[in-house]
Amino acid sequence: MNWNELLQPDLILEASILNLTPDIVQQYELKGLVLDVDETLVPFNAADASSELQDWVKQMREVVSLWLVSNNISEVRIGNIARSLDLPYYLGAAKPSRRKIRAAVEQMNLPANQVGMVGDRLFTDVLAGNRLDMFTILVEPIVHTDVAMRSHPIRNFEVWISEILGATINPKKQRFTRINKD
């Protein structure tokens, strides 16, 4: 696999993970999701899951198996978030290392190509998922409401570097945008 393929998400969700619906997951015939935690599910400094995220997990649990895999090493914080969502988890994953993601997929008892790797970062989540032949989903980061600007310098740098390496950051499948519920 070349860098273009390794950094290319299968699906780009131009919104937070809360806009990933059971219909979208079923459209791609996914049976499981491995979820990044920091800025994918909760802001980096959040200690627990929002009620919206708890509702999302309940809805998704009806159609797919869910597992949390975080690079964060804080057992207190990641464990608290996982328990509030009633989800199994691994922490200290060192993504793009595949070890703990592979273990989560094995615990789901599913082939990797039926599991989506969902995260907000190209060089950790997408790279690791693609190295395992998973379906990769890039989402917009969730940040604390007290952050004045939605500036993501690390993510922007990753996009820039990936484009230099030949990735177009155009999804392999289809791009989904936020659905207004007016």
Side-chain angles (χ1 to χ4, degrees), residues 111-177:
N113 64 359
Q114 290 181 5
V115 180
M117 176 66 223
V118 184
D120 66 309
R121 303 276 306 279
L122 292 169
F123 280 77
T124 56
D125 308 311
V126 172
L127 179 57
N130 282 338
R131 289 175 67 210
L132 287 168
D133 196 30
M134 296 171 74
F135 187 88
T136 53
I137 303 171
L138 183 68
V139 299
E140 285 292 319
I142 293 178
V143 294
H144 250 294
T145 55
D146 61 356
V147 175
M149 294 179 63
R150 285 190 53 107
S151 175
H152 309 290
I154 294 173
R155 186 170 193 240
N156 293 343
F157 180 74
E158 287 179 349
V159 169
W160 180 71
I161 291 293
S162 66
E163 288 173 345
I164 288 172
L165 294 172
T168 62
I169 310 307
N170 289 323
K172 293 178 196 170
K173 305 297 182 192
Q174 182 177 356
R175 192 177 285 259
F176 282 87
T177 56

Side-chain angles (χ1 to χ4, degrees), residues 3-179:
W3 280 109
N4 179 23
E5 294 167 329
L6 287 170
L7 296 171
Q8 190 76 53
D10 290 301
L11 178 65
I12 298 173
L13 189 67
E14 295 180 327
S16 79
I17 195 169
L18 299 176
N19 287 282
L20 182 61
T21 65
D23 289 340
I24 294 170
V25 169
Q26 289 175 321
Q27 176 182 344
Y28 293 104
E29 300 177 358
L30 298 175
K31 306 293 183 209
L33 295 176
V34 172
L35 308 170
D36 174 50
V37 178
D38 289 327
E39 295 193 358
T40 297
L41 297 180
V42 297
F44 184 74
N45 53 357
D48 51 16
S50 68
S51 59
E52 293 88 4
L53 180 60
Q54 291 174 0
D55 292 343
W56 180 85
V57 166
K58 287 177 189 170
Q59 182 182 34
M60 295 304 286
R61 183 179 271 133
E62 294 178 13
V63 296
V64 291
S65 296
L66 300 170
W67 200 284
L68 306 182
V69 176
S70 177
N71 280 353
N72 196 308
I73 61 171
S74 173
E75 171 63 41
V76 171
R77 183 170 168 274
I78 300 302
N80 187 54
I81 292 166
R83 284 184 291 279
S84 73
L85 297 171
D86 192 27
L87 292 177
Y89 66 99
Y90 288 119
L91 50 89
K95 293 176 281 180
S97 170
R98 298 170 285 186
R99 187 171 51 92
K100 291 190 178 179
I101 297 170
R102 183 183 294 118
V105 171
E106 288 171 359
Q107 290 294 319
M108 288 186 220
N109 200 27
L110 293 169
N113 64 359
Q114 290 181 5
V115 180
M117 176 66 223
V118 184
D120 66 309
R121 303 276 306 279
L122 292 169
F123 280 77
T124 56
D125 308 311
V126 172
L127 179 57
N130 282 338
R131 289 175 67 210
L132 287 168
D133 196 30
M134 296 171 74
F135 187 88
T136 53
I137 303 171
L138 183 68
V139 299
E140 285 292 319
I142 293 178
V143 294
H144 250 294
T145 55
D146 61 356
V147 175
M149 294 179 63
R150 285 190 53 107
S151 175
H152 309 290
I154 294 173
R155 186 170 193 240
N156 293 343
F157 180 74
E158 287 179 349
V159 169
W160 180 71
I161 291 293
S162 66
E163 288 173 345
I164 288 172
L165 294 172
T168 62
I169 310 307
N170 289 323
K172 293 178 196 170
K173 305 297 182 192
Q174 182 177 356
R175 192 177 285 259
F176 282 87
T177 56
R178 175 167 291 174
I179 300 168

